[in-house]
Amino acid sequence: MASNQPLPETHRALILTSRAYGPEIKTIPTPQPGPGNAIVRIEAANIISYSKHIYSGTRPYPLPVPLVIGTSAIGRIATTGPDAVSLKPGQLIFVDSFVRGRDDEDAAFLFGVHEGHSEESKILMRGEWRDATYAEYAKVPLENCYPLNEDLLVNKLGYGIAEDLQDLSRLLVPYGGLRDINLQPGETIIIAPATGAFGSAAVKCALAIGARVIALGRNLDALKPLASKSSNPARVETVQLTGDVQTDLKVLQVFGRIDAYLDISPPAAANSTHFKSCILSLRKGGRVSFMGGLNDEITIPIKAVVSRDLQLRGKWMYERKDVRDLIRMVEMGLLKLGGQKVDKFKLGEWEAAFDRAAEYAGSGGEKAAVIVP
Ligand SMILES: NC(=O)c1ccc[n+]([C@@H]2O[C@H](COP(=O)([O-])OP(=O)(O)OC[C@H]3O[C@@H](n4cnc5c(N)ncnc54)[C@H](OP(=O)(O)O)[C@@H]3O)[C@@H](O)[C@H]2O)c1
């Protein structure tokens, strides 16, 4: 491995100063290494399908300005701080956007996206970890740099960095919920809605865990490929929502014992009837992972929850162990990457990139847009 290389004095970054004007490219001083961090050369950074709404404020995620925006990414270690003991310059890594306080793991925020839900998490994002990955270089907490076995993943399995490895970010989100409800091989789980970026990732992860999936959604054309193009079509059932609780419940009951349900609804789905039909379809002791970004309250069929010993859990993102486990599943070939159409955009093309990501929402994860600084 190479030794720490001198960094350029300046680098290019996508900076949001005001949500009214949107991000702009600026040349700014390159971040410097220090205790607890690594400076990472960003190779490919993900784009959330609703990024343009986050950074224009129409989806008003709390974040401090100015900041370098961005999210999870694949990068290479450029230089490490003095307390790095294993990360080496040149090493390929996954940059995890879920940053936690070192002295308080509960203080967590999303790098470049959302300053979290507590005063403590705001301290982290407003201060030391303000600048994220839509840049040539990013300063990343050491513990958010997850080594990737490049020889295996790239040279032997043939995965491209921007084409395939960037998808770890999308897969990790629902994997966190599936692990949190302890989904087991042989179990049956409902994923709803299953046709979005994260819902389709949940289908993939649940199959890799060894479960049978009932994929729910409004759009039959988007649901069909979730089964036909999956790693195991025989373990995927698709159900088109009608909007009538009893009708949808009857269809779900045809599949027999249902052990679990993962929900990853967008805010627009707050009034959907599927929450009720899915909960009502669960067997005694069934588990629910609520991961949707709902701003409104939903009605829970409490009688069924109580009488059937149902367990309802919420999950924001995932645990550190989940990141390591998911990478291992990919390295072992249990979870296959690839098959996505990935459009790459330079930093200066951010507007087209955000539009493309929005256009690809609902593609069942078949299409993605990434930033390659
Ligand atoms: N808990 C966490 O850690 C976490 C992390 C990231 C994101 N999230 C949440 O996950 C949500 C989904 O993200 P995404 O990127 O997958 O979004 P997306 O790609 O835009 O997909 C949205 C999905 O919701 C469905 N949908 C939209 N409106 C609906 C409605 N009124 N009723 C029923 N279904 C509806 C869409 O299906 P159609 O084909 O029917 O339109 C599609 O399947 C986000 O909004 C975010 O809040 C949570």
Side-chain angles (χ1 to χ4, degrees):
M1 286 281 183
S3 55
N4 282 344
Q5 297 293 310
L7 295 166
E9 274 182 23
T10 59
H11 76 138
R12 294 168 74 244
L14 195 49
I15 296 184
L16 183 72
T17 308
S18 150
R19 281 186 244 216
Y21 297 109
E24 53 187 334
I25 298 280
K26 288 189 179 167
T27 299
I28 57 172
T30 307
Q32 294 300 305
N37 73 44
I39 307 304
V40 177
R41 178 71 175 91
I42 301 300
E43 300 265 346
N46 293 84
I47 306 174
I48 305 165
S49 65
Y50 40 92
S51 290
K52 67 180 200 178
H53 298 296
I54 296 172
Y55 299 123
S56 66
T58 50
R59 191 186 272 225
Y61 278 12
L63 48 79
V65 288
L67 86 165
V68 176
I69 59 175
T71 182
S72 292
I74 304 293
R76 281 185 197 282
I77 300 288
T79 305
T80 54
D83 56 343
V85 293
S86 87
L87 292 167
K88 297 286 185 296
Q91 191 167 11
L92 194 69
I93 58 153
F94 170 67
V95 176
D96 176 16
S97 66
F98 198 40
V99 180
R100 298 164 175 88
R102 288 174 174 150
D103 52 348
D104 179 2
E105 288 250 326
D106 293 342
F109 74 94
L110 296 172
F111 212 23
V113 171
H114 190 302
E115 67 182 4
H117 304 284
S118 68
E119 290 309 311
E120 290 77 13
S121 66
K122 289 176 191 162
I123 293 171
L124 295 174
M125 189 171 180
R126 290 178 185 183
E128 188 65 15
W129 307 110
R130 180 178 282 235
D131 292 336
T133 57
Y134 291 168
E136 290 171 312
Y137 291 89
K139 184 178 77 179
V140 181
L142 285 177
E143 64 274 21
N144 281 57
C145 299
Y146 289 85
L148 297 173
N149 183 339
E150 184 170 7
D151 188 43
L152 175 64
L153 293 167
V154 177
N155 301 337
K156 297 200 173 78
L157 294 175
Y159 289 142
I161 289 172
E163 296 75 10
D164 306 303
L165 293 179
Q166 52 76 27
D167 204 24
L168 286 171
S169 163
R170 180 180 72 102
L171 293 161
L172 255 171
V173 172
Y175 185 70
L178 297 173
R179 291 306 308 134
D180 193 53
I181 53 169
N182 197 20
L183 183 69
Q184 296 294 314
E187 288 195 315
T188 297
I189 184 166
I190 298 171
I191 308 287
T195 53
F198 293 116
S200 55
V203 173
K204 247 182 134 168
C205 290
L207 287 174
I209 289 171
R212 177 173 72 137
V213 172
I214 303 173
L216 243 74
R218 299 180 300 179
N219 179 348
L220 196 58
D221 289 339
L223 280 171
K224 278 183 190 158
L226 289 177
S228 61
K229 294 188 181 171
S230 84
S231 61
N232 195 328
R235 273 198 277 126
V236 186
E237 313 286 355
T238 53
V239 172
Q240 186 179 24
L241 288 167
T242 65
D244 180 76
V245 174
Q246 288 309 320
T247 307
D248 293 339
L249 177 59
K250 276 192 192 120
V251 174
L252 289 170
Q253 284 167 338
V254 169
F255 299 112
R257 176 186 163 105
I258 300 175
D259 305 282
Y261 155 41
L262 180 132
D263 192 281
I264 190 132
S265 292
N271 294 321
S272 176
T273 55
H274 77 271
F275 301 103
K276 195 168 176 183
S277 46
C278 291
I279 292 173
L280 289 174
S281 73
L282 292 172
R283 56 119 164 137
K284 186 165 190 292
R287 295 101 67 205
V288 182
S289 177
F290 284 119
M291 296 196 79
L294 301 172
N295 300 316
D296 301 308
E297 294 176 357
I298 60 168
T299 304
I300 301 286
I302 193 69
K303 200 169 169 186
V305 173
V306 174
S307 62
R308 287 191 221 158
D309 299 347
L310 301 182
Q311 298 173 30
L312 311 188
R313 294 175 68 91
K315 188 68 188 164
W316 193 34
M317 302 298 274
Y318 37 77
E319 301 300 311
R320 284 192 200 291
K321 183 178 182 309
D322 300 333
V323 185
R324 290 188 290 267
D325 288 351
L326 187 99
I327 291 172
R328 223 171 283 135
M329 284 174 73
V330 172
E331 289 175 348
M332 286 194 165
L334 293 169
L335 178 56
K336 290 200 169 29
L337 303 180
Q340 262 187 331
K341 175 185 182 312
V342 178
D343 297 349
K344 299 179 221 170
F345 294 88
K346 293 285 179 198
L347 282 174
E349 299 170 321
W350 62 269
E351 204 159 5
F354 290 0
D355 283 342
R356 191 69 57 84
E359 184 190 325
Y360 286 172
S363 72
E366 292 201 347
K367 298 175 190 169
V370 296
I371 299 270
V372 286

